[in-house]
Amino acid sequence: MVLLLAVNMVTRAGFSLKQLKMWGIIRQKVAAGGGSPVARIRPVVSNLRNYSSAVKQMMVREALNSALDEEMSADPKVFLMGEEVGEYQGAYKISKGLLEKYGPERVLDTPITEAGFTGIGVGAAYYGLKPVVEFMTFNFSMQAIDHIINSAAKSNYMSSGQISVPIVFRGPNGAAAGVGAQHSHCYAAWYASVPGLKVLSPYSSEDARGLLKAAIRDPDPVVFLENELLYGESFPVSAEVLDSSFCLPIGKAKIEREGKDVTITAFSKIVGLSLKAAEILAKEGISAEVINLRSIRPLDRSTINASVRKTNRLVTVEEGFPQHGVGAEICASVIEESFSYLDAPVERIAGADVPMPYAANLERMAVPQVEDIVRAAKRACYRSVPMAAAA
Amino acid sequence: MALSKLSSSSSLSTNILKPLTNSFFLHRPISTDTTPLTIETSVPFTSHQCEAPSRSVETTPKELLSFFRQMATMRRMEIAADSLYKAKLVRGFCHLYDGQEAVAIGMEAGITKKDSIITAYRDHCTFLGRGGTLLEVFSELMGRKDGCSHGKGGSMHFYKKDSGFYGGHGIVGAQIPLGCGLAFAQKYSKDETVTFALYGDGAANQGQLFEALNIAALWDLPAILVCENNHYGMGTAEWRAAKSPSYYKRGDYVPGLKVDGMDALAVKQACKFAKEHALKNGPMILEMDTYRYHGHSMSDPGSTYRTRDEISGVRQERDPIERIRKLILAHDLATEKELKDIEKEVRKEVDDAIAKAKESPMPEPSELFTNVYVKGYGVEVFGADRKEVRSALP
């Protein structure tokens, strides 16, 4: 009863229920039905999942911002460092408002010195803090890769469990639009090959929130690969997703679209393209199952294999370079574990095997397009034109 | 060269003959006068671990007029690039140099095309200074065939190896060790030339700078590190990024000079001095005190971390083109109208180059696979769909 009055007063003072939840004043499981007095204030909240008209749209940028905010609020050991994260509000505005809210001790603007500040972040994690290190793009993480791999990934093992590294390295990964060869590299395969690291890559706002929160709470080093072109995209989010306790499991892929004829695996922006491809394929009578990997390491081999055992055909799609890529690992896994279920050769769609060109027409050829995915899926279903002859 | 003899005689006859010479050179009323002129730099040099060069700079009317024309071209080019970006003809990143022209121009005046220059991504004007053309700039910005990198590089990746310009680099700080490497090769080849490695105040704290500088000093490499200090590393002011923003001193045992980067003559003097020093005694640091009017790039308004008063203040007090204009007028080397005419010509040249660049076609699709290697051994290369688009690397 007291809680009800307090909440009432506070909400009249202009604070939303959402804010109260975020600040941990009310830790309320939204799914809870009638029962508690708080839930009665906004009965629509518990039914949100059923009524699409009440579902909120959230930009990926907002999703990341709110996840950072909530985790920083929940745990004082969490801090953010990187270039322009503070006063500039974030190069891509992901950390907007955080400096104002948490102060310069917890939101730190660094000089342009990745090797230095990444090492400093890892050292802070050794000591027990929970840094979130932002790279303006993952291309710049190469300046710091020694610390990510040798200082962070391997420490727990080398010290036999004494030195754990609860750090998150995050930032945009892969191609943007017209940013040229040095700013378009995808690092998913690089980091995912390293034992000791966890590598996550969100697609939707739900992914962004749930995976970032999971990453920050995780006691191991996590490489969190975002995508600049997704920052401005909006996705529907349920009330469960908006809740401050929302978290997604690490190592579990999501079946974005169920299907029975061909399995398409993708992560990050490519999930969107794959869903579009699936729409096109559906019109041609091919039912594609689209798997959003979410987690590159650990890779959800069981979901992937279960899907291929159902559909018998596989198309892996990624933005990065093909050789030794994420798709190569998925293909190998499927061939190793589900060989007799395959009815067609595995197909790989990836970025072209060249440094990213700047010219718009060449760039378009260098990055997977919806047509490429459709074509490969058709080939896997033996429904396409003959293979193009080698040049 | 009878006409130049005429114009270099007494000032009285020069005044009488000026309209005559103009009528002979209808297209380009540029003085070819090479009588030496001595001009003082705006401020003295500040030195670290060395003797500063003299404030008195030798120049000629011809040189001053060419400074004016070239800087006006650079300024006009960058402003035009801004419009092209807003019209979405230029994509990705676009980092503009307007305000900093004096560094590019002064440097060229103090060195030769056999010396090497390497810089980061704010490279349009540096490229032009090294002999690049407006057509190559605009074509590259728009991703067309006639671009200096044939459309494959973009704004941050301009190169001109035949006149010693090694790019055009996107990763902050990387160009510094690369520049020291150029210097190493110059010394190794006994070329008696030097390398100028340009970087910004944002890059000045990079570890690789100190690593490369240490080696350059150890091995006496003819490398000159030039910090173009425009006081902001993207949105971060120098005092928020550097414990010591005295970048000319950061070399410790390496001598340094602080230069007014808005004064083309001071830049020229400093670069000449640095070249002589580097050939005899190894590396040196030059800090150019300069300013960029635009934000860090076209995605940055440039006004969230600096006041508009500051920007307009610099434009009023220290603009490099205005300084040269005042000098030219004060020394009576050209009239205000002549200078305005030069600016009109420049504007037309830029507009013509843009029009031509717009007509330049996009690169051929086959260019996707060219220049991956010098020698590809016929290795197979794949497009996004490896069974649909494949080729062999020559």
Side-chain angles (χ1 to χ4, degrees), chain A residues 301 305 314 326-338 346:
Chain A
R301 297 171 206 278
N305 276 282
L314 173 68
V326 174
E329 174 64 29
I330 292 174
C331 290
S333 171
V334 161
I335 289 169
E336 284 165 2
E337 304 196 26
S338 310
V346 294

Side-chain angles (χ1 to χ4, degrees), chain A residues 84 112 182 358 363 375 379, chain B residues 91 141 151 170 206 235 363 385:
Chain A
E84 313 294 357
I112 309 176
Q182 290 179 336
Y358 167 67
E363 187 180 42
R375 200 186 308 114
R379 272 201 307 263
Chain B
R91 304 155 61 235
L141 287 177
Q206 280 264 322
D385 182 345

Side-chain angles (χ1 to χ4, degrees), chain B residues 202-218:
Chain B
N205 306 302
Q206 280 264 322
Q208 54 186 325
L209 186 160
F210 298 96
E211 292 184 23
L213 191 60
N214 176 55
I215 296 177
L218 213 49

Side-chain angles (χ1 to χ4, degrees), chain A residues 23-45:
Chain A
W23 296 339
I25 293 169
I26 308 174
R27 285 218 165 258
Q28 183 73 30
K29 265 251 198 77
V30 168
S36 92
V38 173
R40 262 188 232 122
I41 293 171
R42 294 214 306 183
V44 71
V45 162

